[in-house]
Amino acid sequence: MARISGRFGRVEPRASARAYVLGLLSQAERKNCWQLAEQAGHVRPGPMQRLLRYARGNADAVRDDVRAYAVEHLGADGAVLIVDETGFLKKGRASAGVQRQYTGTAGRIENSQVGVFLAYATGRGRALVDRRLYLPEQSWCSDPERSRAAGIPDEVRFATKPRLAWEMIAAALDAGVEAPWVTGDEAYGQDPQLRAALEARGTGYVLAVACSTRVRINQGRTSVRADTVAERLPATAWQRQSAGPGAKGPRYYDWAWIHIGAAEHRHLLIRRNRTSGELAFYLCWSPTTAPLPELVRVAGVRWSVEECFQAAKSQVGLDHYQVRHWTSWHRHITLAMLALVFLATVAADAAPKRPADPHRSARSSEPISLTVPEIRHLLTAVFGQPALSAARLLHWSIWRRRHQATARHSHYRRRSADEPAG
């Protein structure tokens, strides 16, 4: 909290911000202003509401602090920036950016807000480091009166989601974030302007694209659909590679890569599920030569942002807000990002220096490393139940993590037995 204290003009919002973040880290059922005020011991929600809406402060400056904190504590070679979006289901039509639109949160068209996020991922951990609220063009950007009522600044103009993603990537690179790779799903991989901007900046990418994407093979004059390229590949073109660890062990797929276009380091990467045969496609570019395992690693890192969303919503109330104003949305989201990166940092610092062997851990009764949910549980106990002794807290933490290690070992062993040969 000391890192961001200078971003507030008075001591009162500074204290409210500390209480707000502690509330986000607490066991409060819903993390809105009413319950966070109750958690802080206030008799009314006014201080929390003023913090989000009226207090003198700069949410973007706090965002910069969050990003710098993540890079300082999680930074490592091979860092990857990940762009993705998530939805916030809402009622009514007064919340900034709300309209009936598709959101993956619900898996269908719902009345919702959509936020575009940038995540920072390394071998030490991952965290959300930037955010943009998407404003639909017709229902919001073309309606100045409605936008003004929701507190949207006059200078804000319509921007596509890939454009918002590029603004966040460029801001991170301008701030000195060393990340040689960017990845994202089809919504961003399909945008040629985003890919061109990354290439102009000299930043490599592994971006998912649709099976209908057309590519040029061997500098040919005609383009071919990506799924057609996959059908024509010989069996020897496929290599078994792990896309990184998952909940049940390494995530093995069959991978193939084909040089495309005239550029030397441009490839089409294809992933094939070893059980179902389902295919996924990625356009790849790098300023220097990158081997297949590196491209596979970057493609696998993309799922880290989904883990960030899940942790942010379940652990620190990213989607629990009950605000409508543009400023309020950005302040709540930014403080939730701060709480999440703090948990991720503590988890990274508590992790063993060398990756643990899940088979060895289970046999030797060693507990798994501290996780974000477990750290939040311990913090809540320390702040909320000071009468509990440290020995008792650690006893139950070790007991839980030891049983989780045993369950993980069982999953890995079963997965290994079921894995098809070859």
Side-chain angles (χ1 to χ4, degrees):
M1 296 306 300
R3 293 180 73 109
I4 69 167
S5 62
R7 306 302 188 180
F8 300 95
R10 296 174 58 86
V11 66
E12 292 85 359
R14 220 173 288 156
S16 295
R18 181 181 185 277
Y20 199 94
V21 173
L22 280 175
L24 294 176
L25 293 168
S26 74
Q27 298 278 26
E29 182 180 357
R30 294 293 298 173
K31 291 165 183 178
N32 52 49
C33 286
W34 289 83
Q35 295 217 8
L36 295 184
E38 181 180 5
Q39 182 76 22
H42 299 321
V43 297
R44 53 190 176 82
M48 299 303 188
Q49 292 172 338
R50 283 195 297 274
L51 172 69
L52 296 186
R53 178 70 182 273
Y54 301 109
R56 292 179 57 188
N58 189 328
D60 286 345
V62 175
R63 180 272 322 275
D64 293 343
D65 292 335
V66 170
R67 183 176 58 213
Y69 185 81
V71 173
E72 178 182 334
H73 290 275
L74 303 179
D77 292 339
V80 179
L81 295 174
I82 315 165
V83 291
D84 203 357
E85 64 198 61
T86 189
F88 304 92
L89 304 183
K90 304 295 289 184
K91 295 181 179 179
R93 61 185 306 275
S95 299
V98 72
Q99 74 165 17
R100 287 189 59 80
Q101 55 191 323
Y102 178 82
T103 169
T105 302
R108 58 183 181 273
I109 295 176
E110 286 284 355
N111 198 60
S112 61
Q113 296 169 299
V114 171
V116 182
F117 287 81
L118 182 71
Y120 177 78
T122 70
R124 283 180 50 79
R126 70 278 305 202
L128 301 174
V129 296
D130 205 346
R131 71 287 178 269
R132 294 287 192 279
L133 180 61
Y134 172 70
L135 294 177
E137 184 174 16
Q138 296 301 321
S139 58
W140 281 95
C141 295
S142 300
D143 190 341
E145 184 176 346
R146 187 185 186 193
S147 296
R148 200 170 295 115
I152 300 172
D154 293 338
E155 62 271 18
V156 175
R157 298 288 184 265
F158 172 73
T160 64
K161 295 171 185 175
R163 176 64 190 179
L164 295 176
W166 169 244
E167 290 177 0
M168 293 187 291
I169 294 168
L173 297 177
D174 290 342
V177 176
E178 296 183 2
W181 293 102
V182 169
T183 187
D185 64 15
E186 290 182 20
Y188 304 92
Q190 293 289 133
D191 188 89
Q193 294 180 341
L194 175 59
R195 300 198 305 267
L198 289 169
E199 293 180 21
R201 192 67 186 254
T203 302
Y205 60 76
V206 179
L207 295 167
V209 293
C211 63
S212 58
T213 300
R214 304 187 74 87
V215 296
R216 298 183 186 277
I217 307 297
N218 297 326
Q219 301 183 18
R221 294 184 178 180
T222 60
S223 59
V224 184
R225 282 175 56 112
D227 52 2
T228 302
V229 174
E231 292 172 0
R232 297 175 180 175
L233 291 175
T236 55
W238 297 94
Q239 303 180 39
R240 184 188 181 193
Q241 299 274 347
S242 170
K248 299 180 180 180
R251 295 174 291 145
Y252 284 109
Y253 295 92
D254 289 333
W255 299 84
W257 61 333
I258 304 97
H259 181 265
I260 60 174
E264 183 179 356
H265 307 302
R266 195 184 304 278
H267 293 87
L268 172 67
L269 178 67
I270 308 173
R271 186 193 72 197
R272 183 175 67 189
N273 187 294
R274 294 173 58 82
T275 303
S276 66
E278 181 182 4
L279 300 176
F281 303 89
Y282 305 83
L283 289 181
C284 310
W285 179 86
S286 58
T288 58
T289 302
L292 176 61
E294 178 68 358
L295 300 182
V296 169
R297 180 190 73 85
V298 177
V301 168
R302 195 195 75 78
W303 294 103
S304 298
V305 71
E306 302 292 349
E307 297 173 354
C308 286
F309 288 149
Q310 181 181 4
K313 291 182 178 182
S314 64
Q315 301 298 320
V316 296
L318 184 76
D319 59 342
H320 290 190
Y321 61 87
Q322 293 179 342
V323 297
R324 298 175 176 177
H325 199 268
W326 169 272
T327 300
S328 301
W329 186 89
H330 283 84
R331 289 184 175 180
H332 170 84
I333 295 296
T334 305
L335 291 176
M337 287 165 45
L338 174 63
L340 181 65
V341 73
F342 167 71
L343 292 174
T345 294
V346 176
D349 291 342
K353 299 302 180 183
R354 289 183 294 179
D357 180 351
H359 303 281
R360 178 179 177 276
S361 296
R363 288 195 296 270
S364 59
S365 299
E366 293 180 2
I368 66 171
S369 300
L370 284 166
T371 62
V372 163
E374 183 67 18
I375 291 169
R376 189 178 70 89
H377 175 80
L378 293 173
L379 284 171
T380 300
V382 169
F383 281 98
Q385 304 177 61
L388 291 176
S389 68
R392 184 179 177 188
L393 288 174
L394 290 176
H395 165 78
W396 281 107
S397 175
I398 293 171
W399 185 90
R400 281 189 296 270
R401 292 184 288 119
R402 183 171 291 146
H403 280 261
Q404 289 170 336
T406 302
R408 176 181 292 183
H409 170 65
S410 299
H411 279 306
Y412 284 9
R413 186 171 54 186
R414 189 179 304 113
R415 177 87 173 258
S416 178
D418 294 342
E419 184 70 29

